[in-house]
């Protein structure tokens, strides 16, 4: 069965009911992972495409030049220094200080990061993986300081995006561009390879304004510990490490999380979520009201025209 | 200058003033690290002894047989199951449940772990490193569950043992016997190689009953973040990983800590602190009252007679 036939079979309605009144359930993924058939014209190797399909993620270490990476690191630091100029809704600061932790709608606050999000090396790969034109569902700059970096518990992004944002299908991919070196010890992204092939429909109704607490500590919409333990036992545990400039593409339903970090080494990344234009948001599937626009772009999404060449702005 | 001459030079009095009213200060270590001169009769290789001297720790992966390790793991699990039989003072349980997290005075609660503490492969090496007969300053079984394991911030054990227990000199060594596999990802022991050669005299007076909070989160007696960052920049960062059965010997003044752990893999170890008999505790150097006996053995310490042969109890 080729991809086109598969897509044609997809029904309308809620393919992934979640936030269930009863117990958690694990169901099979209803969507392709790799939406395109690979050809030699694809923007990544056949091996890389197969790895993404089988594991649910891909780590690319040489997409950008040293000088491009240097520019991005500097732009990230400048954005954090000038946090006061960014509208409050898009900014998360450290409690009790002005230290910038997150800048949402990153592509609107920095020409350089906007250029990065539109780069063919990211957006072109996303188009191939999703077999569609793409737009940014969410974009952010993350900065976790050394010494006090907090953990981020296991979750599938898609579960939240489906339940609270109304993303219909698993046809989105995140790209995390590391702006610091990441070792096993400074709270890197951990992933469960193959976890994207199952959907864990979580138990418990979504509270109102859930995102206000879930961005700090997610309680609703995460699998039970026994479920995570079983998945890790069956599938293993992997970690995305690499020098600054490394890009991690991960499928929207891949189970991931990160440990806290007491090392002196901070962790920063630019994070772009590419969604297929045909997979635009509808009403939330399991929440009374959609999350705000800085978390989920639902107004007239602009399809990206991938841009070629060195990022020089 | 050989070791004996060095020791003769050591003066009495407080060699390591700490909990200072003013700012933190870093001073040079006043004591040898390796108190014995190495000879072919030593219980560890010349390379291992040199590594301990230069880095402040040593990771040994093949001291115990598979069946000994299995027995120790079983004995640890049995102790945790039977927590109710252990006197309250020696037991730390999870808040809101009976789950055992720590058993202090481990050598008094388990014949097998007492036998382990007296084993020549541990106590004999401690005798050599410290060039003296040794006794147990502290012993404990630690268990950190998966998913919710908390971090343990950077500290030198000696700073606390000197300030709050009255340990005069840097003539003690800890042995951590891993009872679970430890990877980089489940909150392993991180160490700063060479940090044992400096003493960070910390700022701030010791509050009364400080140990009641410092066992959970140490605030007094830890170096400032800038100091830790400088040490890691100059000296690097290392991690003690290995399968269950691995033993980490680390010098009492080596800066160490561990990250939290959201993986499903728990972390457990038996922890013995060997102190030189000549380095017995006196009055605390920077606290009004000494810590309780389960943390610091100050009554008639019993010198260990190292025991040969397989641990079979």
């Amino acid at each position: 069965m080729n991809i086109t036939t598969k897509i044609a079979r997809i029904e309308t309605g809620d393919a992934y009911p979640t936030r269930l009144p009863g117990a958690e359930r694990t169901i099979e993924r209803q969507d392709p992972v790799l939406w395109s058939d690979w050809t030699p014209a694809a923007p990544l190797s056949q091996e890389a495409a197969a790895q993404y399909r089988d594991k649910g993620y891909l780590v690319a270490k040489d997409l950008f030049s040293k000088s491009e990476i240097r520019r991005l690191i500097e732009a990230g630091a400048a954005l954090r220094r000038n946090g006061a100029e960014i509208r409050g809704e898009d900014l998360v600061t450290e409690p009790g200080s002005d230290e910038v932790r997150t800048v949402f709608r990153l592509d609107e606050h920095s020409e350089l990061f906007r250029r990065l999000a539109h780069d063919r090396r990211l957006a072109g790969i996303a188009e191939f993986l999703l077999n569609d034109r793409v737009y940014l569902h969410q974009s952010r700059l993350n900065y976790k300081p050394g010494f006090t970096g907090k953990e981020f518990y296991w979750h599938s992004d898609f579960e939240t995006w489906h339940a609270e944002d109304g993303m219909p299908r698993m046809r989105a991919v995140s790209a995390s561009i590391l702006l610091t070196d990441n070792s096993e010890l400074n709270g890197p992204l951990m992933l469960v390879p193959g976890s994207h092939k199952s959907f864990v429909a979580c138990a418990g109704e979504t509270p109102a304004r859930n995102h206000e607490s879930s961005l700090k500590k997610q309680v609703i919409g995460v699998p039970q510990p026994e479920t995570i333990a079983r998945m890790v036992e069956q599938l293993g545990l992997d970690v995305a490490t690499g020098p600054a400039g490394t890009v991690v593409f991960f499928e929207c339903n891949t189970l991931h999380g990160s440990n806290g970090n007491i090392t002196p080494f901070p962790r920063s990344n630019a994070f772009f979520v590419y969604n297929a234009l045909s997979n635009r948001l509808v009403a939330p599937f399991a929440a009374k009201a959609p999350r705000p626009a800085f978390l989920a772009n639902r107004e007239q999404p602009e399809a990206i025209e991938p841009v070629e060449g060195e990022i020089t702005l």
Side-chain angles (χ1 to χ4, degrees), chain A:
Chain A
M1 181 165 69
N2 71 22
I3 296 291
T4 317
T5 325
K6 251 187 180 161
I7 296 169
R9 288 214 187 164
I10 292 172
E11 300 149 36
T12 53
D14 186 355
Y16 301 104
T18 187
R19 314 288 165 107
L20 306 175
E24 174 190 296
R25 293 191 304 139
T26 301
I27 64 165
E28 212 182 318
R29 180 190 180 99
Q30 308 290 308
D31 296 302
V33 177
L34 194 60
W35 290 72
S36 297
D37 290 316
W38 187 86
T39 70
L44 70 181
S45 72
Q46 191 163 17
E47 292 68 34
Q51 199 212 300
Y52 177 83
R53 182 194 64 213
D54 297 341
K55 294 192 170 179
Y57 55 88
L58 191 61
V59 180
K61 300 208 174 172
D62 46 10
L63 290 185
F64 299 104
S65 72
K66 280 200 165 39
S67 55
E68 287 178 306
I69 296 164
R70 204 180 50 240
R71 274 175 222 127
L72 292 166
I73 292 171
E74 284 165 9
L79 263 179
R80 288 190 291 107
R81 274 197 306 276
N82 303 321
E85 295 168 16
I86 295 171
R87 61 176 174 261
E89 191 187 39
D90 287 355
L91 200 67
V92 180
T93 54
E94 187 75 347
S97 91
D98 289 339
E99 284 232 61
V100 175
R101 293 289 167 263
T102 308
V103 179
F104 285 104
R105 290 192 274 220
L106 174 58
D107 58 310
E108 298 182 20
H109 292 295
S110 157
E111 274 300 310
L112 195 76
F113 282 110
R114 181 181 166 83
R115 170 68 182 77
L116 174 65
H118 287 239
D119 196 279
R120 185 172 292 285
R121 288 164 287 183
L122 300 180
I125 288 180
E127 284 185 339
F128 169 74
L129 297 173
L130 306 175
N131 195 19
D132 198 355
R133 301 192 70 191
V134 297
Y135 73 95
L136 287 176
H137 169 67
Q138 189 191 103
S139 79
R140 61 205 278 187
L141 177 76
N142 292 310
Y143 183 83
K144 277 208 224 176
F147 297 113
T148 59
K150 288 282 164 278
E151 75 278 3
F152 216 100
Y153 195 69
W154 299 106
H155 64 287
S156 145
D157 289 328
F158 178 75
E159 198 279 343
T160 292
W161 298 342
H162 183 70
E164 302 187 28
D165 297 339
M167 184 182 284
R169 311 297 305 214
M170 294 180 185
R171 198 170 182 174
V173 60
S174 297
S176 169
I177 300 91
L178 305 189
L179 302 178
T180 48
D181 296 348
N182 245 216
S183 76
E184 278 87 351
L185 299 180
N186 67 334
L189 182 69
M190 298 189 288
L191 308 116
V192 180
S195 56
H196 63 306
K197 295 177 189 168
S198 303
F199 178 70
V200 182
C202 298
E205 206 182 331
T206 311
R209 307 186 71 75
N210 185 43
H211 67 276
E212 290 177 5
S213 61
S214 72
L215 289 178
K216 294 189 189 90
K217 183 177 165 59
Q218 196 171 356
V219 176
I220 296 291
V222 295
Q224 293 300 306
E226 308 77 54
T227 309
I228 297 166
R230 180 177 46 74
M231 290 173 91
V232 171
E233 194 189 342
Q234 288 170 357
L235 301 167
L237 186 60
D238 202 359
V239 64
T241 57
T246 298
V247 179
V248 189
F249 292 96
F250 58 108
E251 207 279 335
C252 60
N253 188 44
T254 304
L255 189 68
H256 63 283
S258 62
N259 279 324
N261 169 28
I262 68 159
T263 79
F265 306 115
R267 211 185 131 222
S268 184
N269 65 321
F271 185 75
F272 301 121
V273 181
Y274 297 99
N275 191 23
L277 204 60
S278 58
N279 195 36
R280 279 188 294 265
L281 305 186
V282 297
F285 287 91
K288 291 209 172 65
R291 300 194 303 171
F294 70 87
L295 291 171
N297 179 2
R298 53 192 321 115
E299 306 295 334
Q300 301 286 345
E302 168 205 18
I304 287 173
E305 295 289 348
V307 179
E308 300 272 2
E310 203 192 349
I311 300 174
T312 52
L313 261 195

